[in-house]
Amino acid sequence: MSTTAAHAATRVDNPFVGAGVYVNPEWSAKAAAEPGGSAVSNQPTAVWMDRIAAINGVNGGMGLRDHLNAAVQQAAGKPYVFQVVIYDLPGRDCAALASNGELGPTDLPRYKSEFIDPIAAILADPAYANLRIVTTVEIDSLPNLVTNAGGTATATANCDVMKANGNYINGVGYALAKLGAIPNVYNYVDAGHHGWLGWDSNLQPAIDTIKQAATASGSTVNNVQGFIVNTANYSALHETNFTVGDSVNGTSVRQSKWVDWNQYVDEASYAKAWRTKAIASGFNSNIGMLIDTSRNGWGGANRPTGPGPKTSVDAYVDGGRIDRRFQTGNWCNQSGAGLGERPKAAPEDGIAAYVWVKPPGESDGASQAIANDEGKGFDRMCDPTYTGNPRNNNNMSGALPNAPLAGAWFSAQFQELLKNAYPALGTGGTTDTTAPTAPTGLAATATSSSVALTWTASTDNVGVTGYDVYRGGTLIGSTNSTSFSDTGLTASTAYSYTVKAKDAAGNVSAASAALSVTTSAGGTTDTTPPSTPTNLAATTTSSSASLTWGASTDNVGVTGYNVYRGGTLIGSTTSTSYTDSGLSAATAYSYTVKAKDAAGNLSAAAAVTATTQAGSGTGSAGCTATYKVSSDWGAGFNADVTVTAGNTAIKSWKVTWTYAGNQQVTNLWNGTVSQSGQSVTVNNAGYNGAVAANGTTSFGFGASYSGSNAVPTLTCTATS
């Protein structure tokens, strides 16, 4: 029987079903060498062909044939999948810099003859005929032609060049045709992720662009066995605490700043919708979807356990969302990310497999410029101090510091992924029965009423998730850090403390060595003020303003909060909320809140402006607006404005204010802005002018300034 006939008889719709998957020994060795890495070092990951030199091996490493030979040995005659990423298009990653490639925008002939042709020749070797070779074809390329070229708000000059010269389309078409001619190759084309293409204006155009490539350079749609989403990205597999159909007080989840009018909130729903639309667009009905789950677990102590509060749609989404990034456009070495679902065949309807295409622990890009011979530049999205660009709605990058070049081993990232794995390591896989080491170096400083403890971090085979603190054998609290303050103590009294570490599997360490601490005599002067209250926000009626804020901290203890209206103290509270009543309708009020401690120290003030609603029965549609600075880096800031309709639904709204300083709005989302001198006017966008009675919508903006940055008083007008 010929090789081709043998393959034709054994070809399957889903190559992952009933098959083992190749474990890259180079990645496995790096993972196993990390503390706790042996828990995942046997997981299958993809081999990346990201430059011509990778075909034969770089710096003494394994080349493509070496990996295929190892896969044949691992298979031992059984069905076996070998995953390989094809990633070296001319002008690669036109909207980013960290993963730019070696080939220039016009180097399509080299791409064909020096990259695709040699790879195809190796994959077609009869020695590998029994492997099911799964390719991931040119991540991030074709979606860039939709969102980052052709006059879009996020267009780049490099993407405009690649859209105009057609080398992405023709390069992908050539790769699909050449690789698709090999009977045991299964091509999966990159389809971005929901936070990139999940809007109606992006999704169908992206499918159309990929179909154009799939039928270019002699290829047909028969060369596409499916698509892969979330490749080397961080989007959550399932957002379990909210859906795109939810609403809060009449406001759709789609209007939240996080969802931003997207049709999808997670990768599973996006992948299934993509498959349905792709089939309707002419791709074969048996196509499957792959989801890269290598780094989208978002577990650990910060993983929400339920929905957020229904005080506003943003609070509801932000309090419950699994994905903890600043924004879904953030893609580089994300802080807080964790390993996701382990690779698995046919895990849910329409999904061919969960896969680990991006090997965990390999950097997305350098956090600062590093000279190299790989054509990889420095992208500010990999800089943890970067405040963003239009492609991530001008949010902080969320990147880890001290990162090496893209593809290089990044130990700190790997440890972060282990610590935040979800499912946690030891669930759905190898059981973790190893307890962390006992904390060491327990030390303390004391006042007459408090003890501040610090200790040296414990280690664990998987990852430490927190610490329990005991006073005299009684558990008094837990913390994720290596410090804890015990307050409300008696002066001149001895106390004994121990600390135990714990991990995600519930293993608890032995206790630290006990530390005896005696509080000081009464009368010690405390001169340290509490921290400033955070996230001060207001909701209003026609006659009241309800304030909420995040709790302050103090070296001894916060005893309460003073609330001021227009600089005048109007009340105090021991909670983190306060309602000011008896106000006038449709009137702007300025509030500040200060935390205080037992010694009378006051924190700096948090400020917010709130406008009461129009009184009922006035016949006025009415609206109010509240203004909150979300981040401030000295020379600029980001702010969020929430618009709340009165007791009558509105069809459009306008918010105006006048700055006291030299603030200049530089960009704005979810509205249209004009500024003349210090006066700013924002009108609704076409999609968010209509707001239900007592419902909310929002807009945000970035601005520059020097000197002071006082919160202005806002005026909101509306039409019904």
Side-chain angles (χ1 to χ4, degrees):
M1 181 182 295
S2 70
T3 300
T4 301
H7 281 296
T10 58
R11 192 167 180 86
V12 295
D13 285 342
N14 185 349
F16 290 88
V17 171
V21 188
Y22 176 62
V23 177
N24 180 344
E26 291 185 311
W27 176 82
S28 181
K30 292 176 183 176
E34 291 279 342
S38 59
V40 295
S41 60
N42 63 340
Q43 294 293 343
T45 55
V47 172
W48 284 57
M49 294 290 106
D50 60 354
R51 45 184 159 154
I52 293 168
I55 299 172
N56 292 320
V58 178
N59 297 326
M62 297 172 69
L64 181 56
R65 279 195 181 276
D66 298 322
H67 284 293
L68 287 163
N69 291 336
V72 170
Q73 290 184 331
Q74 289 181 21
K78 299 177 182 178
Y80 217 66
V81 171
F82 177 81
Q83 300 176 95
V84 59
V85 177
I86 308 300
Y87 185 48
D88 199 26
L89 267 182
R92 187 178 76 191
D93 277 8
C94 58
L97 296 173
S99 49
N100 284 164
E102 62 191 346
L103 300 179
T106 61
D107 282 340
L108 183 61
R110 289 190 63 198
Y111 176 74
K112 293 178 178 180
S113 64
E114 297 181 41
F115 186 66
I116 295 298
D117 287 354
I119 289 175
I122 293 172
L123 297 184
D125 190 321
Y128 313 125
N130 289 324
L131 294 174
R132 299 174 183 178
I133 300 172
V134 170
T135 66
T136 291
V137 178
E138 296 296 353
I139 63 173
D140 294 344
S141 57
L142 299 176
N144 272 317
L145 301 184
V146 175
T147 62
N148 298 322
T152 64
T154 54
T156 69
N158 290 339
C159 289
D160 283 335
V161 168
M162 301 316 300
K163 187 178 182 72
N165 69 23
N167 284 346
Y168 276 8
I169 296 290
N170 290 315
V172 170
Y174 184 84
L176 290 173
K178 195 78 175 182
L179 301 174
I182 304 169
N184 59 319
V185 167
Y186 298 77
N187 290 319
Y188 289 80
V189 182
D190 184 72
H193 57 89
H194 88 275
W196 184 1
L197 302 177
W199 291 265
D200 291 338
S201 58
N202 294 344
L203 198 154
Q204 188 61 49
I207 292 174
D208 295 341
T209 299
I210 291 178
K211 186 178 179 184
Q212 183 184 358
T215 54
S217 301
S219 181
T220 72
V221 294
N222 293 328
N223 290 318
V224 178
Q225 277 65 59
F227 302 91
I228 180 167
V229 300
N230 205 46
T231 314
N233 208 264
Y234 298 86
S235 296
L237 181 62
H238 299 112
E239 285 289 2
T240 55
N241 295 324
F242 65 93
T243 72
V244 76
D246 291 351
S247 62
V248 177
N249 302 323
T251 302
S252 168
V253 156
R254 293 188 65 209
Q255 290 181 249
S256 67
K257 184 177 179 181
W258 173 259
V259 179
D260 192 24
W261 298 98
N262 202 316
Q263 292 283 18
Y264 311 97
V265 299
D266 56 32
E267 286 306 290
S269 61
Y270 168 72
K272 293 173 184 179
W274 178 286
R275 181 177 184 274
T276 298
K277 292 178 182 293
I279 292 171
S281 300
F283 285 94
N284 294 333
S285 61
N286 64 344
I287 58 172
M289 301 298 297
L290 305 178
I291 303 178
D292 188 351
T293 60
S294 58
R295 305 182 301 174
N296 69 344
W298 295 103
N302 292 325
R303 184 181 178 88
T305 57
K310 289 196 171 183
T311 53
S312 71
V313 71
D314 283 320
Y316 176 66
V317 171
D318 288 341
R321 59 184 168 93
I322 302 301
D323 188 337
R324 307 310 297 170
R325 289 177 291 177
F326 289 117
Q327 206 268 346
T328 56
N330 289 1
W331 53 267
C332 193
N333 299 324
Q334 290 298 284
S335 176
L339 300 170
E341 288 280 353
R342 316 309 179 246
K344 185 186 304 181
E348 47 188 306
D349 186 43
I351 308 301
Y354 300 150
V355 292
W356 282 10
V357 167
K358 176 69 173 181
E362 292 188 2
S363 174
D364 295 318
S367 52
Q368 59 186 351
I370 298 176
N372 67 93
D373 60 359
E374 302 175 35
K376 295 172 181 176
F378 169 50
D379 195 300
R380 289 296 305 281
M381 285 299 290
C382 299
D383 176 358
T385 68
Y386 185 47
T387 55
N389 56 49
R391 286 187 292 281
N392 83 329
N393 284 347
N394 296 96
N395 281 274
M396 295 293 291
S397 70
L400 291 168
N402 304 315
L405 285 173
W409 189 255
F410 188 10
S411 178
Q413 183 210 59
F414 188 78
Q415 289 299 319
E416 184 102 337
L417 295 172
L418 287 178
K419 179 178 68 174
N420 297 317
Y422 190 90
L425 299 178
T427 62
T430 304
T431 300
D432 175 16
T433 59
T434 303
T437 60
T440 58
L442 185 60
T445 57
T447 69
S448 60
S449 61
S450 68
V451 170
L453 300 168
T454 61
W455 56 89
T456 301
S458 297
T459 59
D460 185 63
N461 64 315
V462 176
V464 174
T465 59
Y467 300 87
D468 290 336
V469 181
Y470 297 80
R471 185 202 313 133
T474 300
L475 178 65
I476 59 170
S478 299
T479 178
N480 298 321
S481 69
T482 55
S483 61
F484 183 87
S485 290
D486 186 19
T487 59
L489 304 179
T490 302
S492 303
T493 302
Y495 296 92
S496 177
Y497 294 93
T498 55
V499 179
K500 297 179 181 180
K502 55 189 178 181
D503 63 20
N507 301 303
V508 179
S509 76
S512 67
L515 177 68
S516 181
V517 184
T518 301
T519 52
S520 59
T524 301
T525 302
D526 172 17
T527 60
T528 303
S531 64
T532 306
T534 58
N535 300 319
L536 178 60
T539 57
T540 63
T541 67
S542 60
S543 61
S544 67
S546 295
L547 306 174
T548 60
W549 57 88
S552 297
T553 58
D554 186 64
N555 65 315
V556 177
V558 174
T559 58
Y561 300 87
N562 288 345
V563 181
Y564 303 79
R565 184 198 322 127
T568 300
L569 179 65
I570 59 172
S572 297
T573 178
T574 57
S575 70
T576 55
S577 62
Y578 184 88
T579 298
D580 184 20
S581 57
L583 305 178
S584 300
T587 303
Y589 294 91
S590 177
Y591 293 94
T592 53
V593 177
K594 298 179 182 180
K596 57 186 178 181
D597 62 21
N601 299 304
L602 290 177
S603 74
V608 70
T609 298
T611 302
T612 51
Q613 299 180 22
S616 60
T618 64
S620 171
C623 62
T624 59
T626 58
Y627 177 112
K628 182 176 72 173
V629 174
S630 57
S631 60
D632 191 324
W633 53 96
F637 66 98
N638 287 332
D640 298 316
V641 176
T642 300
V643 176
T644 304
N647 296 324
T648 304
I650 61 176
K651 294 182 179 179
S652 66
W653 49 264
K654 178 174 70 175
V655 179
T656 60
W657 67 87
T658 299
Y659 280 122
N662 61 359
Q663 296 93 329
Q664 288 290 315
V665 176
T666 55
N667 62 299
L668 183 138
W669 50 94
N670 293 340
T672 58
V673 63
S674 62
Q675 182 170 358
S676 176
Q678 296 168 301
S679 299
V680 180
T681 299
V682 178
N683 289 284
N684 60 271
Y687 52 78
N688 66 349
V691 183
N694 300 312
T696 62
T697 187
S698 63
F699 64 88
F701 63 90
S704 61
Y705 79 100
S706 60
S708 63
N709 187 25
V711 173
T713 298
L714 274 58
T715 300
C716 186
T717 57
T719 60
S720 59

